[in-house]
Amino acid sequence: MKLVYIARNPTEAHLVKGLLEAEEIPAMVRGEHLFGTRGETPLTGETCPSVWILDDSQFEKARSLATAYARGEGKGIRGAVWRCRRCGEAIEPQFTQCWQCGTPRPHTWRDR
Ligand SMILES: [Zn+2]
């Protein structure tokens, strides 16, 4: 078993797990039961939900999928809904500009 991804919350961990399983890489989520203790314990690989693969030989592929997800390049998953700085419209993550007024997505959106 190998660790491929440390998630910020259980939802994200299961999302990455689903992403891997869609590519026929058996995966599991560990540590999600520790999530409730957040705030009292530091955020580390020990206290965050993590995604593990069962077959070590698939590590390279799994790791690149997880990395792509982290960069927001996963299939159909491109990060959070963003808000137009001009008109305040909430925009779906797959759009790079506001459908309402055409303002491009702010460059800082990834830094949030
Ligand atoms: Zn707009």
Side-chain angles (χ1 to χ4, degrees):
M1 250 181 27
K2 271 185 187 286
L3 173 67
V4 290
Y5 191 77
I6 294 171
R8 282 163 296 192
N9 54 58
T11 308
E12 193 185 50
H14 283 279
L15 224 142
V16 172
K17 175 178 180 279
L19 216 65
L20 297 175
E21 288 178 340
E23 299 291 327
E24 295 179 355
I25 301 171
M28 64 177 287
V29 173
R30 296 180 77 186
E32 58 183 325
H33 58 284
L34 296 169
F35 188 66
T37 63
R38 230 168 95 148
E40 293 142 44
T41 45
L43 282 178
T44 66
E46 311 277 288
T47 56
C48 282
S50 50
V51 183
W52 297 69
I53 55 161
L54 308 185
D55 180 356
D56 289 7
S57 69
Q58 291 175 306
F59 180 73
E60 292 301 323
K61 191 181 177 190
R63 183 68 202 159
S64 70
L65 283 166
T67 305
Y69 167 77
R71 289 202 199 115
E73 294 162 6
K75 282 181 197 163
I77 303 150
R78 292 173 185 269
V81 170
W82 56 283
R83 197 164 283 279
C84 176
R85 61 192 155 169
R86 188 191 285 175
C87 70
E89 191 65 42
I91 319 292
E92 294 293 317
Q94 67 266 33
F95 296 110
T96 53
Q97 64 177 53
C98 176
W99 52 265
Q100 184 97 305
C101 68
T103 301
R105 175 156 55 186
H107 294 299
T108 53
W109 71 278
R110 282 175 193 273
D111 301 329
R112 276 180 296 159

